[in-house]
Structure formats: C-alpha cells, structure tokens
Amino acid sequence: MKDFIGFTRRNMLIYFKDFLAVLFSLLTSIIFFLLYILFLKGTFVDALTGSMKGLENIVSANDIDMFANGILLSGILGSAIITVPYTCLQTIVKDKEAGVDSDICATPMKRWKIVLSYFTASSICAFIMTSLILTAGLAVLSFMGDPHISAGSVFAAYGTVLLGCVSSTALFMVLMLMFKSSSTSTAFFGILSAAAGFIIGAYIPLSQFSDGVQSFCNLFPACHITSMFRNVLLSGLAEKIDSTIGGLDNGAFISAMKETFSFNAKSFGYSFGNSASVVYICIIALICVAAMTVVYNKTYKRR
Amino acid sequence: MKIIEVKELTKKYKEHTAVDGISFEVEEGEMFAFLGENGAGKSTTINMLTTILQKTAGTAFICGHELGREDDEIRKANGIVFQNSVLDKKLTVKENLLTRGSYYGLSRKEVMKRLEPFSESFEMKDIWDRKYEKLSGGQRRRVDIMRALINNPKILFLDEPTTGLDPKSRKLVWDYINYLRREYGMTIFLTTHYMEETRDADHVVILDKGRIVTNGTPAELKTRYAHSRLVWYTAKSENAEALITRISRNFVYDADHYSIETDDNLTEFIFENREEIRDYELIKGTMDDVFLNLTGKELA
Ligand SMILES: Nc1ncnc2c1ncn2[C@@H]1O[C@H](COP(=O)(O)OP(=O)(O)OP(=O)(O)O)[C@@H](O)[C@H]1O
Ligand SMILES: [Mg+2]
C-alpha cells in the first residue's frame, strides 16, 4: 500500500508543483469567465428577459442576475472537470517520454497499481481544484445576494464535482494510455480546451443547436455533469422566482428558462433526469475502466 | 558465487537485433564493465537484466532468481542508475528519494535510515532541499546513485554514469563507486565508452553490434590484444633498422624516433642492446589499443 500512496502523492505533486500546468488546466474556465464579464452575461440576461412576456415587473432584476451568475459557475465547473483531469493525466505521457516509467517498472510495484495510481492522483487533483472553484464561486454568489442554495444542494454540488472528476478521469485515461508522445497529447489538449466550452454549452446554450449536435455533446459525461450543476445550483433560485410569479403563468417562465439553459441533458429525443444522468455517467466510467485495463496491458507490455 | 549468469541472451526489435546471444557471468562483489560504442546494445542488456525490457530469447539468473519468472525478487536486488536521469525535475531531492523509497514499500523513516550512511560521504546535506532541476550535472548524478541505493541492492547497475560530466565530477562519481565497492562489497555492473574507466574493472566485456567480441580481465585483454611499443630516439640508419628487425617488422620512423610494436619481451631486447638503445620510452598497450584492434574502430 505504501508504494501506491507514495506514487499517487508523487503524481499529485507533479501537477501542483507545475504552476503553468495548473494555470493551463484552468484556461477554458478562465476564458469563459472573461467572456462572461465582457459580453456573455448580457446575452444570458437578454435570453432570460426575452422569455418573460409581461412578467418584467414581478421578477426582480437581481434574481435574473443571480440566475445568470449561477449559469456561469456551472459552466466554469463543467469545463474545469474536462481540462483539469486531462492536464493531470498528461504525466503518464511525459513519464513515458522521459523514461520515468522505466524507473517505476524496475521496482517491485505492480503494474495495475501504477495505472490505478495515475487514475487516483488525477481524480484527487481534479477534485481539489474544482472544489476550490466551487467553494469560491459559492462564496462570491452569497456575497452578491441570496443564491437560494440549500445545505443539501451544497452537499449535492460537491458530490457532483466528485462524480464529474472521477468519470472524466476515467474517460481521458483510456485516451492518454494510447498517446505515445507529449506533443500529441498537448495538441489534443488544444482542441479539447477550445471545444470544451462549446460541448458543455457554456458559451452558447446547447438548446440553440440542432438535436444532432445536442445528442453528440451529451455523449460526454461532462455535459451531463454541467446540466446537473445547473440543477443543483439554480433550482432553489428558480423555485423562488416561480413563487414570486405566484402561478400567473403556470410555471411557464421557469420551464422555459430550464429548457433554454439545458437543465436536462437531451440525447436522441430522450431527456435525462438527474438520476438518469448519474446512471449514464457511471456506465460510461465503468466502460472506460474496463477499456483501461485492456489498454494498460499493452502500454506497459515490455516490448 | 556467481551473482549474474547470462546465457545466449537476445533482444530483437522487430527486424533489428540489438543484443545477439550474449553469455557471461559476474562474480559477487566484482566490478564488471561493458564496453561498446553507441548502439552496441549496452543499455538494452541492462534493461533486460533489470526486467524493464522483455528478453526475446536466452536465460539469465540474477542472485539465483530466474529472469522472466521471479522478476519481483530480481527487482528487489537491483539498483539502477539510468543513462538519462529519471528523477522528477520539479521535486526536491528529498521528495524524489522519499517517493522512490515508497515504491519499495519503505516508509520515510526507513528511507532516511537507509541513506544516512551515504549522505555524509555523498555530500548530500547542501542539496537535500533543492529542486532536482536546479542541480548541476555532477550533483544530479550523485542523487541518481543515491536513488539506486535506496532499496539496499546487491547489484548496482550503472549505465554510462559519467557521460557528459566534467573531469572533476567524473572523478567524484568514481570515488563514490569505489567507496561502495570498498565499504559494502557491492557488485557493480557498469557500461561505459570511456576506455580508461575499465582499468579498475575485474572483468571487461567488449560489445560490438550486439555481440561479445571479447571477455576478460583488463590485463588479459591487454596481453592478448594490445602490443607494447618501444619508442627509440635515434637517427634513421640501416644499422638501427637491422637491429629492430631482429625483434619486429612492425615499425615506423617518425621525425626523431622509431616506433616499434611487438609482443616479444622488449625489456630484454633493450637490455641486450643497451649500447645502442640509450634514449627510449617503453609504452604499455592500453585498453584503447585493445578496442581498436578488436573492432577496428576508435572510441571517442
Ligand atoms: N525501442 C527500440 N526500438 C528499436 N530499436 C531500438 C530500440 N531501443 C534501442 N534500439 C536499437 O538497439 C541498438 C542498441 O541500443 P542500446 O540503447 O542498447 O545501445 P547502447 O549500447 O546503450 O548505446 P549508447 O552508448 O548510445 O547508449 C541500437 O541500434 C538502437 O537503435
Ligand atoms: Mg545506452
């Protein structure tokens, strides 16, 4: 067990000691945040007020603001869940390139422990980073007004972070074990970090796209995770707004908002509830873990 | 006791045969040197013996454990200094060594206790908390050797431990290696392409294109493959050449001296002709000559 803990600790240190790696792993989140401040917030608020149809005087502008901010936080978390595990897992390829894996393979440590350790380290790193963002985000939100997030929802939010980090790490692990050089994995990261914001519907809500695009994006666990974040972080606020409206529109405004900002992942005409999303993510993660055991045998086969 | 026994060990990469059926034995406590040019197959051999690469054919026993069957036992007995550094650049020396210790199931305390006797002689105190990337080449090598010693190995494999170091650091590294031999009787398996480094070895194997060209003690190899040379400072003359041909036909005149190569006893020859041969130098064959004669190539 000491070997496993020691190696996991080492893999975590490698990520946290590399300031640039930490920064780059959050790049998509940072870009999203900047875009939000520059203009995305405006488009979100416009989309919200546009579907109000005469309720403008009832719903407070502050609530709408808070709603948009909540969408922002979900997007930041969603993209971090893609980019942080990936960056952390790049250690695998770098180790292969630098011959560090030879050093490990020359010790009595079992191969499956090596792979599991990379997996664990990157899940933990991602969990730490994303939790920090979540904590900071929640603090800022409550500073700005009442976000109407119950204690249970806060708990659920951290749970979602954990599920997201583990599933995302599992998915990228399969990929990373197949990469041979860090230039390949870095090139892929470029694509990934650019695409991440779109796939999870951070820049433009997924509902704006065709069913085909939506179905494709929702293949990714991170997309489901982002939808779950929206539910967890915004349901309380949505209920509050709904009760302010007091049934004048039979809840039409709130369901329109939930529809617009994809509170439920939609795939091939099926709308996932949160529990269905959890099941889906777990299945994907399990498939990846199974694939991983096949691929790692190849990777660490001594040619 | 034979600590390493290798028979017909072979490694094929697709078409290319990097190591081609080599056999040798290493005695416990001896210093065993593998000599060869770039691409001769030195690293490949070490990587097979340390279980990093799978052998294609042949057998090997290390500390009595069969390679390919009892790999974990072999791994516990081996310490390796890799040709290229494999420690983490962003971590400190201490962090590097502690994590490596944990791969062998050692706790922090055990690692510290294990390295204690060396940290003095290896001058580790100053660099203990420094990042590996901030160390000089010689200091890195020192830490690499410490890393290899962490599991109390019976055999220390060193893959070109001094390549790329300045003469002073090279000497330091050699001091450490000799210290380990002297104090701990450690078996040293070394590869190098510096001829003079094989001088103190108990056994030298010369490898060329994956095959062993020769195997013996440095003295044996020199007697077998290197000729002594007599440099005789004298004017060029027929008399002198007549004298020389009595012992060797292999000579040249160069500026102010004859250079004569022979296997025969030169000392006797000089003594017998002490009237004529007054100003001379007797040069013993070197390992460089051995290598040159065996492979037809000069080492860098
Ligand atoms: N992974 C590999 N795939 C194919 N060929 C390889 C591989 N590794 C090494 N070789 C080849 O095997 C031969 C022996 O390589 P090796 O690294 O053992 O040489 P070496 O004696 O250590 O040389 P050097 O002094 O340069 O370190 C070389 O011709 C090399 O090109
Ligand atoms: Mg080599």
Side-chain angles (χ1 to χ4, degrees):
Chain A
M1 198 58 189
K2 278 200 196 95
D3 51 354
F4 179 75
I5 295 171
F7 190 47
T8 306
R9 198 173 156 264
R10 177 258 176 192
N11 291 332
M12 289 174 62
L13 279 176
I14 296 282
Y15 170 74
F16 282 116
K17 287 230 172 177
D18 192 348
F19 174 75
L20 275 182
V22 175
L23 190 69
F24 273 103
S25 70
L26 295 175
L27 205 57
T28 310
S29 300
I30 295 169
I31 290 175
F32 178 44
F33 180 72
L34 293 177
L35 290 179
Y36 179 81
I37 293 184
L38 288 175
F39 68 92
L40 279 179
K41 183 174 186 181
T43 50
F44 290 172
V45 171
D46 285 351
L48 290 167
T49 45
S51 53
M52 273 193 197
K53 293 174 208 129
L55 299 171
E56 288 91 342
N57 300 326
I58 304 170
V59 182
S60 83
N62 187 44
D63 283 346
I64 296 296
D65 237 41
M66 289 298 280
F67 198 90
N69 291 338
I71 296 286
L72 165 73
L73 183 56
S74 319
I76 289 181
L77 292 170
S79 35
I81 271 172
I82 293 180
T83 51
V84 178
Y86 187 91
T87 312
C88 197
L89 283 174
Q90 279 185 303
T91 313
I92 297 178
V93 186
K94 287 184 197 146
D95 282 356
K96 221 187 282 182
E97 220 167 34
V100 177
D101 63 337
S102 296
D103 188 34
I104 304 160
C105 288
T107 71
M109 189 165 168
K110 296 271 175 283
R111 301 294 173 269
W112 62 267
K113 276 193 188 173
I114 297 173
V115 177
L116 199 63
S117 167
Y118 280 123
F119 180 77
T120 311
S122 126
S123 301
I124 296 176
C125 284
F127 183 72
I128 292 174
M129 291 307 291
T130 323
S131 296
L132 283 178
I133 299 173
L134 175 60
T135 312
L138 288 176
V140 172
L141 281 187
S142 22
F143 181 74
M144 294 173 72
D146 185 357
H148 296 276
I149 301 173
S150 67
S153 294
V154 172
F155 196 71
Y158 285 101
T160 311
V161 167
L162 183 64
L163 180 69
C165 291
V166 174
S167 59
S168 188
T169 304
L171 180 69
F172 290 132
M173 185 93 186
V174 179
L175 201 64
M176 205 61 78
L177 285 173
M178 290 193 282
F179 286 144
K180 290 217 167 61
S181 73
S182 63
S183 54
T184 323
S185 79
T186 310
F188 189 83
F189 184 69
I191 302 169
L192 190 71
S193 55
F198 287 103
I199 286 177
I200 61 165
Y203 303 149
I204 305 165
L206 278 186
S207 61
Q208 310 283 308
F209 292 105
S210 69
D211 284 355
V213 174
Q214 284 193 50
S215 302
F216 171 76
C217 291
N218 278 314
L219 288 176
F220 296 91
C223 199
H224 289 256
I225 292 284
T226 314
S227 293
M228 286 166 67
F229 275 131
R230 292 186 191 118
N231 275 292
V232 171
L233 296 175
L234 289 167
S235 289
L237 184 60
E239 262 168 42
K240 190 249 166 183
I241 294 174
D242 205 32
S243 67
T244 317
I245 298 170
L248 286 178
D249 63 346
N250 287 325
F253 173 57
I254 285 304
S255 44
M257 287 207 308
K258 288 191 172 179
E259 187 67 28
T260 308
F261 288 102
S262 312
F263 273 50
N264 292 312
K266 284 207 186 67
S267 234
F268 305 107
Y270 177 71
S271 176
F272 285 79
N274 274 342
S275 343
S277 279
V278 171
V279 172
Y280 175 77
I281 294 165
C282 289
I283 291 175
I284 293 283
L286 283 177
I287 293 174
C288 290
V289 170
M292 213 155 80
T293 49
V294 177
V295 182
Y296 99 84
N297 265 327
K298 279 215 172 97
T299 313
Y300 286 94
K301 198 176 69 185
R302 298 165 295 148
R303 284 134 288 168
Chain B
M1 191 193 116
K2 304 257 182 292
I3 199 159
I4 302 178
E5 286 181 83
V6 173
K7 279 204 189 74
E8 296 296 320
L9 192 64
T10 300
K11 179 72 201 176
K12 286 198 174 99
Y13 292 113
K14 293 205 180 96
E15 299 296 290
H16 182 75
T17 306
V19 173
D20 196 358
I22 59 173
S23 307
F24 59 85
E25 289 172 348
V26 181
E27 289 285 337
E28 185 161 11
E30 82 174 350
M31 175 149 109
F32 192 88
F34 243 50
L35 190 65
E37 306 184 297
N38 291 131
K42 304 183 296 290
S43 299
T44 306
T45 308
I46 286 203
N47 286 343
M48 280 191 284
L49 295 181
T50 52
T51 76
I52 293 164
L53 276 177
Q54 212 150 23
K55 62 181 163 59
T56 313
T59 57
F61 285 85
I62 289 144
C63 297
H65 303 293
E66 188 179 351
L67 187 70
R69 278 178 199 227
E70 300 161 291
D71 283 357
D72 276 349
E73 294 305 314
I74 294 176
R75 287 171 185 147
K76 283 178 200 156
N78 286 345
I80 314 154
V81 175
F82 288 90
Q83 185 167 356
N84 302 311
S85 284
V86 291
L87 293 180
D88 294 316
K89 310 213 164 20
K90 299 264 176 214
L91 304 191
T92 64
V93 170
K94 181 177 163 186
E95 285 164 340
N96 264 306
L97 292 176
L98 288 179
T99 43
R100 268 53 183 185
S102 72
Y103 303 169
Y104 295 90
L106 299 174
S107 70
R108 184 194 178 87
K109 243 197 204 142
E110 287 164 318
V111 173
M112 298 308 254
K113 195 169 147 228
R114 169 82 194 121
L115 296 181
E116 171 101 72
F118 307 115
S119 61
E120 184 86 358
S121 39
F122 278 52
E123 296 164 57
M124 293 294 288
K125 294 247 153 45
D126 305 341
I127 55 173
W128 196 242
D129 284 313
R130 261 200 267 163
K131 279 190 182 174
Y132 187 77
E133 65 180 353
K134 304 268 188 233
L135 301 180
S136 73
Q139 289 170 326
R140 287 186 191 189
R141 254 339 188 195
R142 224 184 288 170
V143 180
D144 292 345
I145 298 177
M146 286 288 264
R147 149 72 186 92
L149 295 174
I150 225 161
N151 57 319
N152 203 2
K154 292 205 177 70
I155 311 170
L156 184 61
F157 289 90
L158 296 134
D159 198 354
E160 298 188 22
T162 56
T163 304
L165 297 184
D166 63 28
K168 192 168 152 249
S169 309
R170 258 167 81 178
K171 183 174 176 307
L172 265 179
V173 166
W174 271 103
D175 288 347
Y176 299 137
I177 295 174
N178 289 326
Y179 161 82
L180 290 171
R181 290 183 71 198
R182 199 174 59 237
E183 297 291 318
Y184 298 90
M186 204 171 276
T187 310
I188 308 281
F189 189 111
L190 172 94
T191 77
T192 180
H193 47 215
Y194 293 119
M195 293 307 301
E196 69 267 25
E197 294 192 335
T198 61
R199 201 182 45 208
D200 295 331
D202 298 299
H203 261 100
V204 179
V205 159
I206 295 184
L207 207 60
D208 188 34
K209 300 198 192 84
R211 286 179 198 205
I212 292 184
V213 254
T214 192
N215 178 351
T217 66
E220 277 170 14
L221 295 187
K222 274 188 268 189
T223 334
R224 250 189 288 162
Y225 300 106
H227 310 290
S228 297
R229 204 147 51 86
L230 171 67
V231 176
W232 177 15
Y233 297 95
T234 183
K236 194 174 162 79
S237 71
E238 293 212 343
N239 280 351
E241 283 176 21
L243 186 67
I244 293 168
T245 42
R246 298 224 303 263
I247 186 164
S248 170
R249 299 202 162 272
N250 194 0
F251 66 91
V252 284
Y253 190 80
D254 191 13
D256 60 347
H257 66 268
Y258 284 103
S259 178
I260 306 141
E261 263 188 30
T262 176
D263 295 329
D264 286 353
N265 192 337
L266 277 166
T267 322
E268 210 167 289
F269 175 69
I270 296 164
F271 184 74
E272 281 166 6
N273 303 291
R274 57 190 175 282
E275 295 299 317
E276 286 85 5
I277 306 176
R278 286 168 181 281
D279 191 4
Y280 67 92
E281 265 178 279
L282 193 55
I283 298 165
K284 292 237 351 153
T286 62
M287 288 301 286
D288 281 294
D289 301 329
V290 176
F291 194 85
L292 183 64
N293 286 336
L294 278 170
T295 63
K297 288 174 253 187
E298 291 210 51
L299 278 170

